[in-house]
Amino acid sequence: KFNTDLGQHILKNPGVAQAIVDKADLKQSDIVLEVGPGTGNLTTKILEKAKKVIACEADPRMAAEITKRFQGTPAQKRLEIILGDVLKHPQLPYFDVCISNTPYQISSPLTFRLLALSPAPRSCVLMFQREFAMRLFAQPGTKLYSRLSVNAQMWAKISHVMKVGKNNFNPPPQVESDVVKIVPKVPRPQISYDEWDGLLRICFVRKNRTLRSGFLGTTSVMEMLESNYRTYCAQNNIVLDDGPLDPADAAMDTDMAADEQDDEMEAIMDVDDEDDVPDFFREEADKKAKKLLGNPNRKKKGKVSELVRQKVTKVLIETTELCEKRARMCDEGDFLKLLYAFNQEGIHFS
Ligand code: SAM
């Protein structure tokens, strides 16, 4: 009957449903967004406390069932059902509080979306699988620390509400769950979400690599930063010298290609330190580096890419001194320092 591909695990314990709604501290004037109302067990309890529920449901069968459940009741007029994937909705309607027994497949994108909302909702009370919930609280240096942890803790105050065992659901999921309350910070930190998240995306592509390697040693990142820098300059009427590299710099570019190759090697091996790479692999990589350098199609670098490289080097080595630190060890303060220093140099991430 239930489609577990859509994360349909119905909360059958009314005590847990009531506790979730109580934790949201709803006011009678509140508009609540419920993601994935299913058969409406949580919806009923929310409607007892709030002015209106906007329920977004991906499964038409469930949407039909919940419509039927409230048809002809006084609550019917206060329930709006949006049929479809909540993530595909280009703009969510205004709401004060979000409550969801979240379908586990969308936990991550849904949380990011809620954290990015401006103006932010007053609070979100969400049920997650345990490991996901733990990632929200993870601290630097721990295994579960990720872009999600940094973002969650940057934009909100997160608290654990309760543990929920699998037998409270029908059908029971594989793992235990946790209810978490996310209260966006007021006032909202005065930085751009897209810039901040853009920086974190780069740092956390491989959280065990050093920032030097993640930036200077990753061609695609440097190309993206160059492209953003060109946009920034165009918008600020800064004229760029777009000529080819001077011969001395071109020689450095050759060295850099070898460095890039080393960094790729580190990445492939997924080791934290180049010294950990076995010799046979190093020889292979050296061969590849020679081939790469001899490749006539290798994109020739110009003065602008060199300028961007100098700026990134200055930020990592001089301004922040974070070049040898790995993202998994960096805290919010480190990332803020990085973003500020990059922006001072005209380097942007969105
Ligand atoms: N709220 C109900 C409860 O607590 O009993 C059902 C929760 S069930 C874990 C998740 C619900 O989310 C299902 O009804 C499923 O169809 C719906 N769903 C899954 N993916 C969705 C998406 N991307 N957008 C909106 N709803 C979704």
Side-chain angles (χ1 to χ4, degrees):
K1 185 170 171 237
F2 294 116
N3 179 351
T4 45
D5 286 346
L6 278 175
Q8 286 175 353
H9 298 282
I10 300 303
L11 184 56
K12 63 179 188 189
N13 181 338
V16 175
Q18 190 62 55
I20 291 173
V21 176
D22 288 347
K23 274 293 169 184
D25 293 323
L26 293 175
K27 299 182 190 162
Q28 277 203 321
S29 56
D30 277 340
I31 298 175
V32 176
L33 173 73
E34 190 191 2
V35 176
T39 54
N41 290 350
L42 268 170
T43 324
T44 316
K45 304 214 177 289
I46 305 170
L47 280 165
E48 285 168 10
K49 293 276 176 70
K51 181 169 95 181
K52 182 178 175 185
V53 175
I54 302 168
C56 185
E57 173 57 60
D59 183 349
R61 282 184 324 147
M62 286 292 177
E65 191 159 330
I66 191 178
T67 306
K68 217 162 67 197
R69 179 164 178 176
F70 290 98
Q71 220 157 38
T73 73
Q76 183 186 357
K77 282 203 299 292
R78 295 187 291 115
L79 173 63
E80 177 185 334
I81 297 166
I82 301 178
L83 178 61
D85 180 342
V86 66
L87 300 174
K88 299 224 170 101
H89 233 268
Q91 186 153 22
L92 292 174
Y94 174 85
F95 61 93
D96 300 290
V97 173
C98 177
I99 296 178
S100 173
N101 173 7
T102 312
Y104 65 91
Q105 303 90 330
I106 64 163
S107 301
S108 184
L110 178 67
T111 305
F112 279 118
R113 181 133 194 218
L114 292 171
L115 291 169
L117 284 175
S118 179
R122 192 169 77 240
S123 69
C124 306
V125 180
L126 308 169
M127 173 104 70
F128 291 125
Q129 295 204 332
R130 178 139 317 150
E131 194 189 77
F132 184 86
M134 284 164 67
R135 283 173 56 203
L136 294 173
F137 295 98
Q139 293 298 306
T142 62
K143 191 161 165 271
L144 294 177
Y145 190 57
S146 64
R147 179 168 73 93
L148 178 76
S149 328
V150 187
N151 257 324
Q153 294 165 35
M154 172 71 186
W155 301 102
K157 214 174 148 318
I158 312 151
S159 53
H160 183 262
V161 172
M162 63 179 154
K163 295 181 171 186
V164 182
K166 28 180 136 163
N167 292 328
N168 293 293
F169 301 90
N170 178 28
Q174 307 264 332
V175 294
E176 308 291 325
S177 301
D178 282 294
V179 178
V180 169
K181 187 169 184 179
I182 298 176
V183 180
K185 288 181 186 167
V186 181
R188 197 168 168 77
Q190 289 299 301
I191 57 168
S192 143
Y193 181 90
D194 290 339
E195 280 277 311
W196 170 257
D197 191 48
L199 168 74
L200 293 183
R201 276 174 193 274
I202 294 174
C203 296
F204 279 96
V205 165
R206 276 180 178 273
K207 61 180 176 179
N208 288 329
R209 295 178 85 177
T210 59
L211 294 175
R212 176 188 57 76
S213 157
F215 280 84
L216 294 164
T218 309
T219 314
S220 54
V221 169
M222 294 308 290
E223 284 174 357
M224 183 185 92
L225 295 184
E226 179 182 336
S227 156
N228 290 355
Y229 183 63
R230 286 178 185 279
T231 308
Y232 164 81
C233 289
Q235 285 166 348
N236 292 280
N237 298 320
I238 300 168
V239 180
L240 288 168
D241 176 359
D242 218 355
L245 279 184
D246 297 332
D249 289 335
M252 260 178 59
D253 186 36
T254 305
D255 288 345
M256 268 146 25
D259 282 350
E260 276 167 27
Q261 195 61 27
D262 282 349
D263 286 324
E264 288 307 315
M265 174 166 70
E266 244 186 62
I268 294 163
M269 299 291 292
D270 203 15
V271 293
D272 283 350
D273 197 318
E274 210 220 306
D275 290 343
D276 297 338
V277 178
D279 282 345
F280 77 90
F281 196 83
R282 200 186 300 269
E283 283 158 22
E284 272 305 298
D286 280 349
K287 272 192 227 152
K288 275 198 204 146
K290 288 212 180 79
K291 217 162 123 190
L292 178 91
L293 290 171
N295 179 357
N297 295 328
R298 181 165 189 271
K299 227 183 183 167
K300 284 268 177 292
K301 299 218 164 94
K303 284 193 174 150
V304 179
S305 65
E306 180 52 27
L307 177 64
V308 170
R309 177 168 286 275
Q310 281 167 4
K311 285 174 175 290
V312 173
T313 307
K314 179 176 164 200
V315 166
L316 292 179
I317 296 180
E318 287 172 28
T319 325
T320 66
E321 298 181 354
L322 287 167
C323 87
E324 295 308 326
K325 203 159 175 178
R326 298 163 204 286
R328 69 177 164 87
M329 302 305 290
C330 290
D331 61 16
E332 190 176 292
D334 291 330
F335 292 119
L336 276 170
K337 226 168 34 177
L338 275 173
L339 184 61
Y340 182 72
F342 276 124
N343 286 175
Q344 287 288 94
E345 292 292 331
I347 302 287
H348 289 272
F349 298 90
S350 65

